[in-house]
Structure formats: structure tokens, C-alpha cells
Amino acid sequence: MASISLVSVLRSRGSCLTAWLASPEPLIAESAARAGFDCVTLDMQHGLHDPGSIMRGIGAIALGGVPAIVRIPVGDFAMASRALDMGASAIIAPMINSAEDARAFAAATKYQPLGERSWGPVRAMQLAGATDGAAFLRDTNAETLTFAMIETRAALAALDDILAVPGIDAVFIGPSDLSIALSDGADVNPMRPDNQAAAADVLARARKAGKLVGIFAITGEQGRLYRSLGYDFIALGTDGMYFHLGASTMLAEARAV
Ligand code: 3PY
Ligand code: MG
């Protein structure tokens, strides 16, 4: 069974909901892939993943039949290349605050002429069922999505320049960090009106630039809101929340008498 790309899922479904996993355990990644999410994201920025768990997690997600996405640690563009070589379908890079950051991200994730990614997609080709290197090279830039995270005042100020960088396919709003930035450290609340207004502005400007837009939703209700607003890619909660919600719902049912 060949792995499926996020580009093809977006093409067929229009938008997608991704699981977001901090736990470095492939069985949890496979379980999330089988739970009905359109794709699964492994988080190396705040999650507990290392390169080994990313490699094993991507294989487990492929077994579940959906695309794997990796959020790299801040500025770790070498890991972006490695995650793609391991078979990730898209990379999310946090704290992209300037066109220069965006160019470094694109350089690591796109082959020439868009970037400077070095050749060696051994596991990615295995998972894709690909044997023809030249064909893989020809198709991969378009099939590999890059999400630049917009989550600071600097990123908002540089947004149009970031969107104009060749090889940046999408922006992904980090609404918690953005709310900390917009409240000057006084609050962390994605639903603050100024935060929602800033997110709407990012969505509109990215659309105008012809780029995809993603955002992180902390609750199902927020996920529904972002779907109604037309986001392409919505991260829905975290593995810790899935576990807590499932356990607390079952315990409440069992203790209801
Ligand atoms: C944020 O909300 O800041 C994020 O990075 C979401 O993952
Ligand atoms: Mg963030």
C-alpha cells in the first residue's frame, strides 16, 4: 500500500482536520490515523518526539492510510529535510518571523529550483511505492507542503513578504502564541477578539496570495468555526486531550447513577 499525500487529501476533500500528537509512540500515531482524522501531525516543537519516533510514527501513520505531517522545533530546518526523507507529506515550521526565515525553510524543504534540499528520500520513496528517482524528483516539490507558522507581531508585519517566498505553500496560525504577542504577555486566549481579527486578516491576505491557510483549534467547537470560515487545514486538539476527554466521558457515564 503506497502512502497518500496531504496534497491529494486536500484536493479530494477540500479541507482537512489533523490529529496533533505529542506522544512519541507509534501505536498512538497509528491509532490516531485509524480514528477518522484526515491526517496526523507529529509535534517536535512542544511534543516529546525525537528523530527516531518521527521515523517510526510516519510508518505507523502510513499503515493507518493517511498522510503524516511533522512540526519541527524552532529553526531546525535540517530536521525538516530529514522528516521529508522519512516520508512526511508536509512540514510545519514554528515562529517564521521574516522572509529570511521563510527562505531558509523553503531551502531545506524544496529541491532546486525552488530550494536546496539534498537528495536522499530513501524511506519516503519506499512509503510512496516509488522506484523512479527522476519521477520522484519531478513531482515532490509540488507534493510536499510547507506551512510557515504565523504567531508573532513580527510575522504579522512581514506576512506579505513571507507569503511571497517561492516554496512557501501555506501559512499556519498559532493562535495561542499570537494571543500572547497581541496582549503583550498578559493573556493566552486564542478567542480574544483582537486575535480572531488578526487571524481573519491572515486568512484574507493568504487567500489573496493564493496560499493555503491552517490554524490550531483547541476544541471541537473552534474546529467547526474554522471550518465555516474556510480554513484548509485545521489541527484539532492534542493526544492528551483525546485521552482525557474519552476517559472523563466514560467515567462520568459509569458514575452517573
Ligand atoms: C500556537 O497556538 O501558538 C501553536 O503553536 C499551536 O500549535
Ligand atoms: Mg505556537
Side-chain angles (χ1 to χ4, degrees), residues 18-22 40-51 53-54 58 61 68-77 79-81 83-84 88-96 105 109 145-151 172-178 215-217 233 235 237-238:
T18 183
W20 193 272
L21 305 184
V40 175
T41 302
L42 305 175
D43 182 18
M44 297 186 86
Q45 184 193 12
H46 297 299
L48 304 172
H49 286 279
D50 58 26
S53 71
I54 293 296
I58 289 171
I61 293 163
I69 297 140
V70 174
R71 177 163 77 169
I72 57 172
V74 175
D76 191 351
F77 300 124
M79 186 62 222
S81 304
L84 291 176
S89 190
I91 303 291
I92 300 172
M95 297 281 175
I96 297 294
F105 178 33
T109 47
L145 293 180
T146 51
F147 287 84
M149 282 197 73
I150 304 298
E151 49 185 346
F172 182 83
I173 300 166
S176 291
D177 275 315
L178 192 58
I215 192 163
F216 192 94
F233 177 83
T238 64

Tab-separated table of all heavy atoms in Angstrom, residues 18-22 40-51 53-54 58 61 68-77 79-81 83-84 88-96 105 109 145-151 172-178 215-217 233 235 237-238:
chain	number	residue	atom	x	y	z
A	18	THR	N	-6.552	17.622	11.177
A	18	THR	CA	-5.432	16.761	11.564
A	18	THR	C	-5.415	16.486	13.065
A	18	THR	O	-5.705	17.378	13.866
A	18	THR	CB	-4.073	17.389	11.152
A	18	THR	OG1	-3.019	16.466	11.503
A	18	THR	CG2	-3.785	18.718	11.835
A	19	ALA	N	-5.055	15.242	13.409
A	19	ALA	CA	-4.720	14.930	14.801
A	19	ALA	C	-3.377	15.591	15.097
A	19	ALA	O	-2.591	15.853	14.179
A	19	ALA	CB	-4.608	13.423	14.990
A	20	TRP	N	-3.112	15.817	16.374
A	20	TRP	CA	-1.866	16.517	16.767
A	20	TRP	C	-1.274	15.747	17.931
A	20	TRP	O	-1.877	15.683	19.008
A	20	TRP	CB	-2.220	17.956	17.169
A	20	TRP	CG	-1.074	18.889	17.300
A	20	TRP	CD1	-0.323	19.089	18.412
A	20	TRP	CD2	-0.581	19.781	16.299
A	20	TRP	NE1	0.629	20.052	18.162
A	20	TRP	CE2	0.491	20.498	16.881
A	20	TRP	CE3	-0.927	20.049	14.975
A	20	TRP	CZ2	1.211	21.472	16.170
A	20	TRP	CZ3	-0.211	21.007	14.281
A	20	TRP	CH2	0.847	21.704	14.874
A	21	LEU	N	-0.121	15.133	17.726
A	21	LEU	CA	0.388	14.180	18.712
A	21	LEU	C	1.713	14.593	19.334
A	21	LEU	O	2.703	14.844	18.634
A	21	LEU	CB	0.571	12.808	18.052
A	21	LEU	CG	-0.660	12.215	17.338
A	21	LEU	CD1	-0.339	10.820	16.829
A	21	LEU	CD2	-1.882	12.196	18.242
A	22	ALA	N	1.713	14.613	20.660
A	22	ALA	CA	2.934	14.890	21.413
A	22	ALA	C	3.644	13.604	21.816
A	22	ALA	O	4.862	13.591	22.002
A	22	ALA	CB	2.586	15.684	22.674
A	40	VAL	N	-2.378	13.123	10.200
A	40	VAL	CA	-1.855	13.114	11.578
A	40	VAL	C	-0.563	13.926	11.631
A	40	VAL	O	0.334	13.727	10.803
A	40	VAL	CB	-1.584	11.670	12.055
A	40	VAL	CG1	-0.937	11.672	13.438
A	40	VAL	CG2	-2.876	10.856	12.079
A	41	THR	N	-0.489	14.828	12.615
A	41	THR	CA	0.713	15.658	12.785
A	41	THR	C	1.486	15.230	14.027
A	41	THR	O	0.893	15.045	15.101
A	41	THR	CB	0.316	17.149	12.913
A	41	THR	OG1	-0.404	17.539	11.743
A	41	THR	CG2	1.551	18.029	13.057
A	42	LEU	N	2.785	15.073	13.868
A	42	LEU	CA	3.678	14.749	14.986
A	42	LEU	C	4.401	16.039	15.376
A	42	LEU	O	5.031	16.674	14.522
A	42	LEU	CB	4.690	13.682	14.555
A	42	LEU	CG	4.072	12.392	13.970
A	42	LEU	CD1	5.171	11.453	13.451
A	42	LEU	CD2	3.227	11.677	15.032
A	43	ASP	N	4.320	16.396	16.659
A	43	ASP	CA	4.835	17.703	17.096
A	43	ASP	C	6.187	17.570	17.786
A	43	ASP	O	6.277	17.063	18.898
A	43	ASP	CB	3.816	18.359	18.025
A	43	ASP	CG	4.272	19.744	18.484
A	43	ASP	OD1	5.181	20.318	17.839
A	43	ASP	OD2	3.719	20.242	19.484
A	44	MET	N	7.227	18.070	17.119
A	44	MET	CA	8.565	18.069	17.721
A	44	MET	C	8.861	19.361	18.468
A	44	MET	O	9.892	19.446	19.147
A	44	MET	CB	9.642	17.907	16.647
A	44	MET	CG	9.601	16.615	15.895
A	44	MET	SD	11.018	16.473	14.789
A	44	MET	CE	12.250	15.790	15.896
A	45	GLN	N	8.004	20.403	18.296
A	45	GLN	CA	8.315	21.670	18.984
A	45	GLN	C	7.990	21.568	20.470
A	45	GLN	O	8.842	21.833	21.310
A	45	GLN	CB	7.552	22.852	18.367
A	45	GLN	CG	7.946	24.187	19.024
A	45	GLN	CD	7.019	25.356	18.706
A	45	GLN	OE1	5.933	25.168	18.162
A	45	GLN	NE2	7.438	26.553	19.050
A	46	HIS	N	6.752	21.201	20.771
A	46	HIS	CA	6.347	21.082	22.181
A	46	HIS	C	6.079	19.629	22.573
A	46	HIS	O	5.936	19.328	23.762
A	46	HIS	CB	5.101	21.921	22.450
A	46	HIS	CG	5.321	23.385	22.233
A	46	HIS	ND1	6.231	24.121	22.950
A	46	HIS	CD2	4.768	24.263	21.350
A	46	HIS	CE1	6.216	25.383	22.534
A	46	HIS	NE2	5.341	25.497	21.562
A	47	GLY	N	5.974	18.745	21.593
A	47	GLY	CA	5.761	17.337	21.874
A	47	GLY	C	7.067	16.655	22.260
A	47	GLY	O	8.130	17.288	22.297
A	48	LEU	N	6.988	15.345	22.521
A	48	LEU	CA	8.141	14.622	23.078
A	48	LEU	C	8.901	13.828	22.026
A	48	LEU	O	9.671	12.933	22.354
A	48	LEU	CB	7.622	13.698	24.186
A	48	LEU	CG	6.833	14.442	25.274
A	48	LEU	CD1	6.185	13.463	26.238
A	48	LEU	CD2	7.734	15.410	26.031
A	49	HIS	N	8.673	14.171	20.757
A	49	HIS	CA	9.275	13.393	19.672
A	49	HIS	C	10.761	13.671	19.497
A	49	HIS	O	11.243	14.774	19.740
A	49	HIS	CB	8.566	13.727	18.353
A	49	HIS	CG	7.210	13.111	18.265
A	49	HIS	ND1	7.011	11.801	17.902
A	49	HIS	CD2	5.987	13.612	18.511
A	49	HIS	CE1	5.715	11.531	17.920
A	49	HIS	NE2	5.070	12.615	18.297
A	50	ASP	N	11.462	12.646	19.023
A	50	ASP	CA	12.839	12.783	18.552
A	50	ASP	C	12.874	12.193	17.138
A	50	ASP	O	11.851	11.664	16.666
A	50	ASP	CB	13.814	12.084	19.508
A	50	ASP	CG	13.491	10.606	19.683
A	50	ASP	OD1	12.878	10.006	18.764
A	50	ASP	OD2	13.849	10.044	20.730
A	51	PRO	N	14.008	12.260	16.442
A	51	PRO	CA	14.007	11.750	15.056
A	51	PRO	C	13.581	10.287	14.951
A	51	PRO	O	12.900	9.892	14.007
A	51	PRO	CB	15.459	11.960	14.605
A	51	PRO	CG	15.917	13.138	15.416
A	51	PRO	CD	15.255	12.980	16.762
A	53	SER	N	11.394	8.640	16.858
A	53	SER	CA	9.932	8.486	16.986
A	53	SER	C	9.228	9.069	15.763
A	53	SER	O	8.145	8.614	15.398
A	53	SER	CB	9.420	9.121	18.277
A	53	SER	OG	9.477	10.534	18.223
A	54	ILE	N	9.837	10.064	15.124
A	54	ILE	CA	9.253	10.613	13.885
A	54	ILE	C	9.314	9.529	12.805
A	54	ILE	O	8.331	9.253	12.100
A	54	ILE	CB	10.011	11.887	13.440
A	54	ILE	CG1	9.799	13.016	14.453
A	54	ILE	CG2	9.570	12.317	12.041
A	54	ILE	CD1	8.386	13.519	14.612
A	58	ILE	N	5.847	7.997	11.363
A	58	ILE	CA	5.425	8.180	9.968
A	58	ILE	C	5.023	6.833	9.351
A	58	ILE	O	4.012	6.727	8.656
A	58	ILE	CB	6.535	8.883	9.145
A	58	ILE	CG1	6.642	10.353	9.581
A	58	ILE	CG2	6.255	8.793	7.642
A	58	ILE	CD1	7.834	11.103	8.993
A	61	ILE	N	1.629	5.858	10.741
A	61	ILE	CA	0.534	6.659	10.174
A	61	ILE	C	0.217	6.168	8.757
A	61	ILE	O	-0.950	6.063	8.360
A	61	ILE	CB	0.913	8.166	10.187
A	61	ILE	CG1	1.012	8.658	11.638
A	61	ILE	CG2	-0.102	9.002	9.408
A	61	ILE	CD1	1.749	9.980	11.809
A	68	ALA	N	1.188	11.886	6.874
A	68	ALA	CA	1.870	12.304	8.100
A	68	ALA	C	2.482	13.685	7.894
A	68	ALA	O	3.059	13.981	6.844
A	68	ALA	CB	2.973	11.315	8.446
A	69	ILE	N	2.355	14.509	8.922
A	69	ILE	CA	2.899	15.869	8.903
A	69	ILE	C	3.788	16.018	10.123
A	69	ILE	O	3.494	15.420	11.171
A	69	ILE	CB	1.723	16.875	8.941
A	69	ILE	CG1	0.878	16.711	7.673
A	69	ILE	CG2	2.198	18.318	9.050
A	69	ILE	CD1	-0.574	16.803	7.910
A	70	VAL	N	4.854	16.792	10.015
A	70	VAL	CA	5.741	16.978	11.161
A	70	VAL	C	5.893	18.464	11.453
A	70	VAL	O	6.169	19.247	10.546
A	70	VAL	CB	7.135	16.355	10.888
A	70	VAL	CG1	8.105	16.678	12.021
A	70	VAL	CG2	7.010	14.838	10.722
A	71	ARG	N	5.672	18.847	12.731
A	71	ARG	CA	6.074	20.191	13.145
A	71	ARG	C	7.466	20.090	13.738
A	71	ARG	O	7.684	19.369	14.715
A	71	ARG	CB	5.121	20.814	14.163
A	71	ARG	CG	5.675	22.200	14.596
A	71	ARG	CD	4.667	23.083	15.255
A	71	ARG	NE	4.401	22.709	16.633
A	71	ARG	CZ	3.699	23.470	17.491
A	71	ARG	NH1	3.202	24.643	17.090
A	71	ARG	NH2	3.468	23.059	18.715
A	72	ILE	N	8.401	20.814	13.140
A	72	ILE	CA	9.803	20.784	13.574
A	72	ILE	C	10.010	21.732	14.760
A	72	ILE	O	9.186	22.612	15.004
A	72	ILE	CB	10.746	21.184	12.405
A	72	ILE	CG1	10.376	22.585	11.865
A	72	ILE	CG2	10.723	20.139	11.307
A	72	ILE	CD1	11.365	23.155	10.848
A	73	PRO	N	11.117	21.586	15.503
A	73	PRO	CA	11.447	22.582	16.525
A	73	PRO	C	11.799	23.925	15.853
A	73	PRO	O	12.145	23.941	14.670
A	73	PRO	CB	12.685	21.986	17.209
A	73	PRO	CG	12.675	20.534	16.861
A	73	PRO	CD	12.058	20.447	15.493
A	74	VAL	N	11.751	25.012	16.609
A	74	VAL	CA	12.024	26.343	16.046
A	74	VAL	C	13.395	26.375	15.362
A	74	VAL	O	14.411	26.022	15.967
A	74	VAL	CB	11.984	27.427	17.161
A	74	VAL	CG1	12.392	28.793	16.584
A	74	VAL	CG2	10.605	27.502	17.778
A	75	GLY	N	13.399	26.756	14.098
A	75	GLY	CA	14.653	26.971	13.364
A	75	GLY	C	15.393	25.710	12.957
A	75	GLY	O	16.474	25.799	12.370
A	76	ASP	N	14.832	24.523	13.227
A	76	ASP	CA	15.565	23.282	12.950
A	76	ASP	C	15.256	22.796	11.529
A	76	ASP	O	14.605	21.773	11.321
A	76	ASP	CB	15.205	22.214	13.984
A	76	ASP	CG	16.123	21.003	13.902
A	76	ASP	OD1	16.924	20.915	12.943
A	76	ASP	OD2	16.020	20.134	14.786
A	77	PHE	N	15.762	23.542	10.559
A	77	PHE	CA	15.416	23.235	9.171
A	77	PHE	C	16.094	21.951	8.668
A	77	PHE	O	15.609	21.318	7.739
A	77	PHE	CB	15.725	24.442	8.275
A	77	PHE	CG	14.953	25.669	8.693
A	77	PHE	CD1	15.594	26.853	9.004
A	77	PHE	CD2	13.569	25.621	8.827
A	77	PHE	CE1	14.879	27.974	9.414
A	77	PHE	CE2	12.836	26.733	9.251
A	77	PHE	CZ	13.497	27.910	9.538
A	79	MET	N	16.100	19.284	10.367
A	79	MET	CA	15.100	18.260	10.716
A	79	MET	C	13.956	18.252	9.720
A	79	MET	O	13.373	17.191	9.451
A	79	MET	CB	14.579	18.503	12.143
A	79	MET	CG	13.655	17.401	12.647
A	79	MET	SD	14.432	15.762	12.779
A	79	MET	CE	13.119	14.699	12.129
A	80	ALA	N	13.650	19.415	9.141
A	80	ALA	CA	12.591	19.452	8.113
A	80	ALA	C	12.984	18.552	6.943
A	80	ALA	O	12.178	17.735	6.465
A	80	ALA	CB	12.368	20.884	7.637
A	81	SER	N	14.227	18.668	6.478
A	81	SER	CA	14.696	17.807	5.381
A	81	SER	C	14.651	16.333	5.777
A	81	SER	O	14.224	15.482	4.999
A	81	SER	CB	16.147	18.136	5.000
A	81	SER	OG	16.295	19.477	4.668
A	83	ALA	N	12.761	14.864	8.062
A	83	ALA	CA	11.376	14.367	8.176
A	83	ALA	C	10.807	14.085	6.788
A	83	ALA	O	10.076	13.112	6.596
A	83	ALA	CB	10.522	15.372	8.934
A	84	LEU	N	11.143	14.914	5.815
A	84	LEU	CA	10.664	14.646	4.443
A	84	LEU	C	11.304	13.370	3.911
A	84	LEU	O	10.640	12.549	3.269
A	84	LEU	CB	10.972	15.831	3.521
A	84	LEU	CG	10.167	17.103	3.814
A	84	LEU	CD1	10.628	18.248	2.907
A	84	LEU	CD2	8.664	16.873	3.654
A	88	ALA	N	7.479	12.288	5.538
A	88	ALA	CA	6.444	13.278	5.890
A	88	ALA	C	5.910	13.913	4.605
A	88	ALA	O	6.643	14.110	3.631
A	88	ALA	CB	7.025	14.353	6.803
A	89	SER	N	4.618	14.237	4.659
A	89	SER	CA	3.959	14.797	3.481
A	89	SER	C	3.962	16.317	3.511
A	89	SER	O	3.792	16.973	2.482
A	89	SER	CB	2.511	14.288	3.482
A	89	SER	OG	1.878	14.588	2.296
A	90	ALA	N	4.130	16.862	4.699
A	90	ALA	CA	4.161	18.320	4.867
A	90	ALA	C	4.950	18.631	6.130
A	90	ALA	O	5.046	17.789	7.036
A	90	ALA	CB	2.744	18.873	4.989
A	91	ILE	N	5.502	19.842	6.163
A	91	ILE	CA	6.249	20.299	7.338
A	91	ILE	C	5.654	21.614	7.829
A	91	ILE	O	5.370	22.509	7.030
A	91	ILE	CB	7.746	20.550	7.000
A	91	ILE	CG1	8.403	19.298	6.412
A	91	ILE	CG2	8.504	21.049	8.236
A	91	ILE	CD1	8.593	18.149	7.369
A	92	ILE	N	5.483	21.697	9.143
A	92	ILE	CA	5.044	22.943	9.776
A	92	ILE	C	6.250	23.505	10.532
A	92	ILE	O	6.838	22.808	11.364
A	92	ILE	CB	3.881	22.681	10.760
A	92	ILE	CG1	2.690	22.064	10.017
A	92	ILE	CG2	3.472	23.970	11.461
A	92	ILE	CD1	1.559	21.597	10.941
A	93	ALA	N	6.627	24.756	10.213
A	93	ALA	CA	7.774	25.375	10.889
A	93	ALA	C	7.277	26.494	11.793
A	93	ALA	O	6.662	27.450	11.311
A	93	ALA	CB	8.758	25.926	9.866
A	94	PRO	N	7.518	26.383	13.122
A	94	PRO	CA	7.027	27.415	14.043
A	94	PRO	C	7.852	28.696	13.942
A	94	PRO	O	9.004	28.686	13.492
A	94	PRO	CB	7.200	26.765	15.420
A	94	PRO	CG	8.271	25.753	15.254
A	94	PRO	CD	8.222	25.286	13.821
A	95	MET	N	7.245	29.791	14.395
A	95	MET	CA	7.948	31.069	14.571
A	95	MET	C	8.695	31.518	13.305
A	95	MET	O	9.877	31.848	13.353
A	95	MET	CB	8.940	30.971	15.746
A	95	MET	CG	8.277	30.706	17.073
A	95	MET	SD	7.563	32.244	17.719
A	95	MET	CE	6.711	31.681	19.180
A	96	ILE	N	7.998	31.510	12.177
A	96	ILE	CA	8.584	32.087	10.953
A	96	ILE	C	8.244	33.577	10.984
A	96	ILE	O	7.096	33.969	10.798
A	96	ILE	CB	8.027	31.388	9.691
A	96	ILE	CG1	8.422	29.904	9.676
A	96	ILE	CG2	8.508	32.099	8.429
A	96	ILE	CD1	9.910	29.612	9.543
A	105	PHE	N	13.542	28.066	5.398
A	105	PHE	CA	12.612	26.932	5.494
A	105	PHE	C	12.398	26.315	4.106
A	105	PHE	O	12.511	25.089	3.926
A	105	PHE	CB	11.300	27.451	6.105
A	105	PHE	CG	10.194	26.445	6.243
A	105	PHE	CD1	10.447	25.097	6.497
A	105	PHE	CD2	8.859	26.862	6.151
A	105	PHE	CE1	9.393	24.178	6.636
A	105	PHE	CE2	7.814	25.960	6.287
A	105	PHE	CZ	8.083	24.612	6.520
A	109	THR	N	13.372	22.408	2.334
A	109	THR	CA	12.245	21.510	2.053
A	109	THR	C	11.949	21.318	0.571
A	109	THR	O	11.175	20.426	0.210
A	109	THR	CB	10.968	22.032	2.749
A	109	THR	OG1	10.848	23.427	2.489
A	109	THR	CG2	11.020	21.810	4.244
A	145	LEU	N	4.125	19.885	1.120
A	145	LEU	CA	3.635	21.210	1.530
A	145	LEU	C	4.445	21.788	2.686
A	145	LEU	O	4.824	21.079	3.616
A	145	LEU	CB	2.162	21.114	1.941
A	145	LEU	CG	1.181	20.782	0.814
A	145	LEU	CD1	-0.246	20.725	1.356
A	145	LEU	CD2	1.280	21.798	-0.327
A	146	THR	N	4.665	23.102	2.586
A	146	THR	CA	5.394	23.827	3.633
A	146	THR	C	4.454	24.829	4.295
A	146	THR	O	3.878	25.689	3.618
A	146	THR	CB	6.579	24.593	3.030
A	146	THR	OG1	6.101	25.365	1.918
A	146	THR	CG2	7.665	23.660	2.550
A	147	PHE	N	4.296	24.706	5.601
A	147	PHE	CA	3.449	25.622	6.372
A	147	PHE	C	4.349	26.507	7.245
A	147	PHE	O	5.013	26.008	8.157
A	147	PHE	CB	2.529	24.845	7.307
A	147	PHE	CG	1.384	24.130	6.622
A	147	PHE	CD1	1.573	22.877	6.051
A	147	PHE	CD2	0.121	24.701	6.566
A	147	PHE	CE1	0.508	22.210	5.443
A	147	PHE	CE2	-0.944	24.040	5.957
A	147	PHE	CZ	-0.753	22.803	5.395
A	148	ALA	N	4.340	27.811	6.984
A	148	ALA	CA	5.102	28.769	7.804
A	148	ALA	C	4.189	29.264	8.916
A	148	ALA	O	3.120	29.816	8.650
A	148	ALA	CB	5.551	29.943	6.946
A	149	MET	N	4.604	29.066	10.170
A	149	MET	CA	3.720	29.481	11.266
A	149	MET	C	3.785	30.987	11.499
A	149	MET	O	4.863	31.580	11.591
A	149	MET	CB	4.059	28.723	12.559
A	149	MET	CG	3.503	27.298	12.528
A	149	MET	SD	3.424	26.528	14.164
A	149	MET	CE	2.037	27.402	14.893
A	150	ILE	N	2.589	31.559	11.612
A	150	ILE	CA	2.430	32.998	11.869
A	150	ILE	C	1.888	33.099	13.284
A	150	ILE	O	0.744	32.721	13.555
A	150	ILE	CB	1.436	33.612	10.839
A	150	ILE	CG1	1.908	33.328	9.401
A	150	ILE	CG2	1.242	35.099	11.086
A	150	ILE	CD1	3.241	33.916	9.018
A	151	GLU	N	2.729	33.595	14.195
A	151	GLU	CA	2.297	33.590	15.602
A	151	GLU	C	2.981	34.673	16.433
A	151	GLU	O	3.027	34.570	17.658
A	151	GLU	CB	2.488	32.187	16.214
A	151	GLU	CG	3.837	31.548	15.982
A	151	GLU	CD	3.930	30.115	16.499
A	151	GLU	OE1	3.063	29.660	17.266
A	151	GLU	OE2	4.914	29.433	16.152
A	172	PHE	N	0.332	28.819	8.701
A	172	PHE	CA	-0.402	28.126	9.765
A	172	PHE	C	-0.376	29.050	10.980
A	172	PHE	O	0.705	29.397	11.476
A	172	PHE	CB	0.273	26.781	10.066
A	172	PHE	CG	-0.432	25.963	11.116
A	172	PHE	CD1	-1.519	25.162	10.786
A	172	PHE	CD2	-0.014	25.980	12.441
A	172	PHE	CE1	-2.178	24.396	11.756
A	172	PHE	CE2	-0.658	25.227	13.414
A	172	PHE	CZ	-1.750	24.425	13.063
A	173	ILE	N	-1.561	29.450	11.410
A	173	ILE	CA	-1.660	30.399	12.521
A	173	ILE	C	-1.540	29.652	13.849
A	173	ILE	O	-2.237	28.656	14.079
A	173	ILE	CB	-3.003	31.159	12.449
A	173	ILE	CG1	-3.099	31.930	11.130
A	173	ILE	CG2	-3.160	32.086	13.654
A	173	ILE	CD1	-4.499	32.439	10.811
A	174	GLY	N	-0.645	30.129	14.696
A	174	GLY	CA	-0.528	29.603	16.064
A	174	GLY	C	-1.284	30.558	16.984
A	174	GLY	O	-0.719	31.549	17.456
A	175	PRO	N	-2.559	30.294	17.241
A	175	PRO	CA	-3.376	31.312	17.903
A	175	PRO	C	-3.029	31.533	19.371
A	175	PRO	O	-3.312	32.602	19.907
A	175	PRO	CB	-4.812	30.780	17.738
A	175	PRO	CG	-4.667	29.324	17.529
A	175	PRO	CD	-3.334	29.092	16.890
A	176	SER	N	-2.401	30.543	20.018
A	176	SER	CA	-2.028	30.759	21.427
A	176	SER	C	-0.854	31.723	21.506
A	176	SER	O	-0.913	32.750	22.208
A	176	SER	CB	-1.691	29.433	22.101
A	176	SER	OG	-2.858	28.655	22.231
A	177	ASP	N	0.217	31.420	20.777
A	177	ASP	CA	1.362	32.354	20.804
A	177	ASP	C	0.955	33.730	20.293
A	177	ASP	O	1.412	34.747	20.829
A	177	ASP	CB	2.522	31.791	19.963
A	177	ASP	CG	3.376	30.835	20.775
A	177	ASP	OD1	3.698	31.161	21.935
A	177	ASP	OD2	3.700	29.757	20.272
A	178	LEU	N	0.102	33.756	19.273
A	178	LEU	CA	-0.316	35.054	18.731
A	178	LEU	C	-1.057	35.865	19.791
A	178	LEU	O	-0.865	37.085	19.909
A	178	LEU	CB	-1.196	34.837	17.495
A	178	LEU	CG	-1.488	36.080	16.653
A	178	LEU	CD1	-0.197	36.741	16.147
A	178	LEU	CD2	-2.390	35.732	15.471
A	215	ILE	N	-4.792	26.513	10.872
A	215	ILE	CA	-4.888	27.108	12.207
A	215	ILE	C	-5.074	25.985	13.229
A	215	ILE	O	-5.521	24.888	12.864
A	215	ILE	CB	-6.055	28.128	12.275
A	215	ILE	CG1	-5.986	28.964	13.562
A	215	ILE	CG2	-7.428	27.436	12.132
A	215	ILE	CD1	-6.824	30.244	13.509
A	216	PHE	N	-4.745	26.290	14.466
A	216	PHE	CA	-4.891	25.297	15.542
A	216	PHE	C	-6.180	25.566	16.310
A	216	PHE	O	-6.408	26.681	16.791
A	216	PHE	CB	-3.692	25.384	16.501
A	216	PHE	CG	-3.615	24.233	17.438
A	216	PHE	CD1	-2.846	23.128	17.127
A	216	PHE	CD2	-4.328	24.228	18.626
A	216	PHE	CE1	-2.782	22.038	17.990
A	216	PHE	CE2	-4.282	23.154	19.491
A	216	PHE	CZ	-3.502	22.058	19.170
A	217	ALA	N	-7.027	24.522	16.452
A	217	ALA	CA	-8.277	24.631	17.214
A	217	ALA	C	-8.127	23.824	18.491
A	217	ALA	O	-7.729	22.658	18.451
A	217	ALA	CB	-9.439	24.094	16.391
A	233	PHE	N	-6.768	23.723	6.539
A	233	PHE	CA	-6.076	22.728	7.355
A	233	PHE	C	-6.272	23.132	8.814
A	233	PHE	O	-5.832	24.214	9.221
A	233	PHE	CB	-4.594	22.763	6.946
A	233	PHE	CG	-3.682	21.864	7.705
A	233	PHE	CD1	-3.552	20.532	7.355
A	233	PHE	CD2	-2.916	22.353	8.770
A	233	PHE	CE1	-2.690	19.695	8.053
A	233	PHE	CE2	-2.053	21.531	9.466
A	233	PHE	CZ	-1.946	20.201	9.097
A	235	ALA	N	-5.876	21.926	12.797
A	235	ALA	CA	-5.391	20.981	13.809
A	235	ALA	C	-6.411	20.963	14.935
A	235	ALA	O	-6.855	22.026	15.386
A	235	ALA	CB	-4.039	21.433	14.326
A	237	GLY	N	-7.098	19.834	18.642
A	237	GLY	CA	-6.696	19.334	19.951
A	237	GLY	C	-5.375	18.579	19.931
A	237	GLY	O	-4.587	18.694	18.988
A	238	THR	N	-5.160	17.804	20.992
A	238	THR	CA	-3.912	17.044	21.113
A	238	THR	C	-4.210	15.648	21.667
A	238	THR	O	-5.286	15.418	22.223
A	238	THR	CB	-2.940	17.720	22.114
A	238	THR	OG1	-3.559	17.689	23.409
A	238	THR	CG2	-2.651	19.155	21.721
